[in-house]
Amino acid sequence: MFFKLNHLLTTLENYIFPSSCAVCRQPGKALCPACRVRIPRLSAVCPGCACKNALGLFCADCQKTQNYSFDGLFSYGAYENKILKSALRALKYQGAREIGLILGKMLGRQLAGSWTKAPVSWLKQKPIIMPMPLHSRRQRERGFNQSLYITQGISALSGWPIDQKMRRLTYQAPSAKLNYHDRQKQNKIFSYPDQLPPNQVIIIVDDIITTGATTQAAANALKEVGAKIVIVATVAKSL
Ligand SMILES: [Zn+2]
Ligand SMILES: [Zn+2]
């Protein structure tokens, strides 16, 4: 009787909350293992000259010439990959939290693995991970922040603490092409309410990076309140 009841409840639950892969529709996980392995990993490279390094940090040469506020960019896969694209669409437009957690764990596994390998002294400390915030109006419209789900996946895998205190002050996306005055304004897109602890390493988490303008503004805001190193981690990079 118990087993029958249990089975009935499971069937009922599956009927109410059918779980299937958002990409291939196979019953089971929100992103099935067969689809996951068909998302090739991008190698971590210097965002300036594309030379390989473990964490996607700017290399010594590019550090001298680059104008970015972030120190490295670590992306799991290419947005042009059809599977990754439809998984990210399901996450963003249907609020598929389970997909966010799965993608976050995939990204977190690579990131945490590289963290211990890269020969940089600040990697010895635990980073704080911050989801890229949405403007409060956008978050109300959407009902969730997809980057938070990815961040929760990374945290579940790595044990790194999550901080959600960064705020987004403007609703519109920033432009990639900016003059000096626009850049000054762009610094006001994000705010963080406190001073960060000394030598703090931050990882900003987002679903996708395209022009890097938004990311640049967020990294700027964190450097202004004392962040030592800001790494950007995204599930996808649009090439
Ligand atoms: Zn699938
Ligand atoms: Zn370089």
Side-chain angles (χ1 to χ4, degrees):
M1 178 61 195
F2 174 76
F3 287 106
K4 268 190 183 166
L5 185 66
N6 219 2
H7 177 73
L8 184 72
L9 286 176
T10 310
T11 312
L12 197 65
E13 191 183 83
N14 285 341
Y15 180 74
I16 302 168
F17 307 108
S19 184
S20 63
C21 174
V23 179
C24 71
R25 306 284 165 211
Q26 284 291 318
K29 298 266 183 199
L31 182 61
C32 76
C35 284
R36 275 179 242 173
V37 298
R38 288 168 60 211
I39 305 170
R41 264 215 61 214
L42 291 174
S43 327
V45 295
C46 163
C49 68
C51 72
K52 279 193 185 179
N53 73 60
L55 260 184
L57 301 173
F58 280 102
C59 71
D61 285 343
C62 289
Q63 269 174 30
K64 291 176 204 147
T65 53
Q66 62 99 0
N67 290 318
Y68 289 99
S69 294
F70 53 88
D71 303 274
L73 169 64
F74 192 94
S75 300
Y76 186 91
Y79 187 63
E80 285 67 20
N81 176 276
K82 284 200 176 92
I83 292 172
L84 192 52
K85 193 182 264 185
S86 44
L88 284 173
R89 280 186 179 159
L91 167 65
K92 194 164 176 173
Y93 299 108
Q94 296 154 32
R97 179 169 184 262
E98 201 193 331
I99 294 184
L101 294 175
I102 292 171
L103 291 171
K105 282 178 189 168
M106 288 162 68
L107 174 61
R109 188 169 291 117
Q110 302 298 332
L111 193 57
S114 302
W115 203 261
T116 50
K117 280 184 218 139
V120 192
S121 61
W122 49 258
L123 290 173
K124 289 192 177 73
Q125 65 160 295
K126 214 183 237 192
I128 292 175
I129 42 179
M130 296 189 186
M132 180 67 91
L134 295 175
H135 185 264
S136 52
R137 193 168 111 208
R138 172 100 55 204
Q139 176 131 4
R140 268 200 308 278
E141 286 164 0
R142 195 175 284 174
F144 61 92
N145 177 0
Q146 73 277 9
S147 298
L148 175 62
Y149 297 160
I150 299 166
T151 308
Q152 287 168 338
I154 297 176
S155 183
L157 200 285
S158 62
W160 295 334
I162 299 175
D163 178 327
Q164 296 188 62
K165 284 188 284 188
M166 182 161 50
R167 289 282 169 265
R168 184 169 178 141
L169 308 173
T170 59
Y171 185 76
Q172 295 297 330
S175 160
K177 288 179 188 147
L178 296 171
N179 61 32
Y180 176 78
H181 292 290
D182 289 336
R183 278 190 197 283
Q184 295 301 307
K185 260 194 268 166
Q186 201 180 63
N187 290 348
K188 304 283 178 273
I189 292 178
F190 293 94
S191 75
Y192 188 85
D194 303 318
Q195 198 66 22
L196 287 161
N199 297 323
Q200 187 60 58
V201 179
I202 308 283
I203 301 177
I204 301 176
V205 179
D206 210 351
D207 50 350
I208 177 167
I209 185 161
T210 46
T211 65
T214 310
T215 313
Q216 165 70 5
N220 238 334
L222 294 174
K223 287 274 167 95
E224 276 181 6
V225 292
K228 181 184 165 69
I229 300 286
V230 176
I231 307 282
V232 179
T234 68
V235 170
K237 177 157 79 173
S238 186
L239 301 172

